[in-house]
Amino acid sequence: MWNRHSKYYPSILAQIIFGLVALSIVVTTHADSKVPENLQVHGFLSQGYLLTSGNKVFGNSKDNGSFGFREIGLNASLQPMPSLQLSAQLLSRHAGKGNNGGIRVDYGFADYRISSDVTKQFGIRLGRVKNPFGFYNETRDVPFTRPSILLPQSIYFDRTRNLALAGDGAQLYGEANTNFGDFSIQFQTGLPQVNDKNSEVALIGGNFPGKLRSRLSYIGRIIYELDGGRLRLAVSGTQLNVGYDPAAPFGADLMAGLVRFSPIIFSAQYNAERFSITSEYAIRPFRIKDFGVSALDMNFIGESYYIQGAYRFNQEWEGFLRYDVLFTDRNDRNGRQFRTSTGRPAHNRFAKDMTVGLRWSITPEIMLRAEYHRIDGTAWLSTLDNPDPFNTNRHWNLFAAQISYRF
Amino acid sequence: MFFKCIRYKILLLCLVFGMLSNSYVSKASETIVIITYPEVEPQTLSKNTLRSIFSMRLKTWPDNIPIRVFVLPDDHPIHSTFTKEILNVFSYQLRATWDRLVFSGTGQAPIKVNNYEEMLTGVAKTPGAIGYLKERHLNNSVRVLNVE
């Protein structure tokens, strides 16, 4: 749909929609000196504290810990007519070297309902749309929607997060409410966001002269909910394509290679009054080719899963326990082949994280969280924050606390 | 012995009756009803449809008038009773659904009111409005919707 040369068009579209929403707020507030009744503005603000042993997470979290984890978001939505909704969100995220707190358009799109009745809804979203995969990806930067301060990193790892966030393109969606459950289906095609060094380092293992360039990518998800969401099941599939534009002739730079990442995620959740059990499993084929360097010719399949139990003591207090596992290459789970072929530590290729945490909802708008991780392996550790793989510790701990406000 | 026995029985009877009438009274006053703006077209809705409305998926009434959903705060006792007993979901689930919509841009949040007085006036004066109340707080400014 978008050709190579129209690369900037969709993000401009996102900005235009954001501008439209902002403009209509200004115009309507000036015109009748009251806001239109269906305009909504929401936002959140959070400040985190991280203390780690051995490795760095979101800044220099060793020794005295770090207050360098901050998330701020502001969104607006408007329904100029019943079948049309315009929505946009601005986000600032401060989290280590990969995220410096700069403000960006998280999403900005027009949602048009093509048809809608009591049992079926069908529509299209155009612009920058959040990538629908797994249970948490679309709202991964919103503290209140997460089950913990850090999402299970096996599935939602933060070092290639920009690729996973949103796509500039189009999404078709459909919902069906039947007597035997509700179905929700999304299919999306567009360009992922790759204009950051974190993705480059994470994907091709270094900072090269040229630039990564997003190629047309695809995402689809189907969610089934029984009994109003008591049981939720989902399957998500993605084919994420990233190309490379060399800045210099081969020899001084890489060739115009391709990175293809095609994870499939299976998700399941059971919600009772007091407890919820959630589990997600992902199989993630990863292919890198045509860079003209044999070390950058890779083909492996990653595997990850977590199981998490949450218990609500009362309306204010919730506790959770989670076991989260990531294998970068499922045919080399202990990383020994990797160590033999690259000389790097084997523990760079897996991570097993046991987490326990507490959530205190002081009011429905203010939330305080704390959690403790015991981790074996560094597979999801940010390479930008920990540039030297030999200077990472296999066994390490992470403590995090976060206070969040929403409106 | 005999009198003691009678006395016990009377006491027991009183107790049982007291409990019954007590629970009867509390049940009647706790009954939650669905209310709409008086001109909203449907007068009966299925539980499934009601769930679609309160989870903000269904946006318009059959006559294409936008649905305006009114809710009490998450920690309000009437809200938890409503979600649990009428919608058969827990209030934390509904909150998660709304948050997913609001913070991914794919939907909007319901309109929050702080107490039943605001609920009553809000639903009474907003075309397309739907909300809920304890039966004893009802007045004729709103219409009661039947749930199948």
Side-chain angles (χ1 to χ4, degrees), chain A residues 37-38 40 42-44 75 77-79 82 85 87 89 107 109 111 113 117-118 121 125 138-139 142 145 175 177-179 182 225 227-230 232 271-273 275-276 312 315 364-365 406, chain B residues 46 48-49 51-52 56-60 62 64-66 68 73-76 80 84 87-93 95-97 99-112 126-127:
Chain A
E37 58 177 331
N38 63 31
Q40 289 195 355
H42 294 276
F44 59 90
N75 70 54
S77 62
L78 189 67
Q79 291 176 0
Q85 178 170 328
S87 315
Q89 177 160 276
Y107 60 75
F109 59 89
D111 179 335
R113 278 246 167 133
D117 64 39
V118 170
Q121 295 97 44
R125 300 180 176 125
E138 292 136 290
T139 56
V142 188
T145 67
E175 271 157 31
N177 314 309
T178 71
N179 288 331
D182 301 332
E225 292 190 352
D227 209 7
R230 184 167 287 253
R232 303 175 68 218
N271 290 304
E273 183 161 23
F275 70 90
S276 298
R312 284 167 284 278
Q315 241 163 7
E365 289 78 33
R406 59 179 292 155
Chain B
S46 72
N48 268 352
T49 307
R51 226 188 239 160
S52 296
M56 304 301 286
R57 283 198 293 259
L58 195 61
K59 294 181 180 180
T60 51
N64 215 30
I65 288 184
R68 300 275 171 246
D74 285 9
D75 54 357
H76 197 290
S80 348
K84 212 163 117 180
L87 300 181
N88 298 130
V89 298
F90 305 112
S91 70
Y92 78 88
Q93 290 176 282
R95 169 51 61 190
T97 304
D99 284 350
R100 276 196 293 273
L101 295 176
V102 166
F103 292 104
S104 66
T106 55
Q108 288 195 314
I111 299 158
K112 196 188 89 180
T126 312

Side-chain angles (χ1 to χ4, degrees), chain A residues 50 55 58 81 148-149 229 311 316 385 392:
Chain A
L50 274 87
N55 307 309
F58 299 164
M81 49 187 191
S148 46
I149 300 171
Y311 188 83
E316 288 172 17
D385 284 327
T392 56

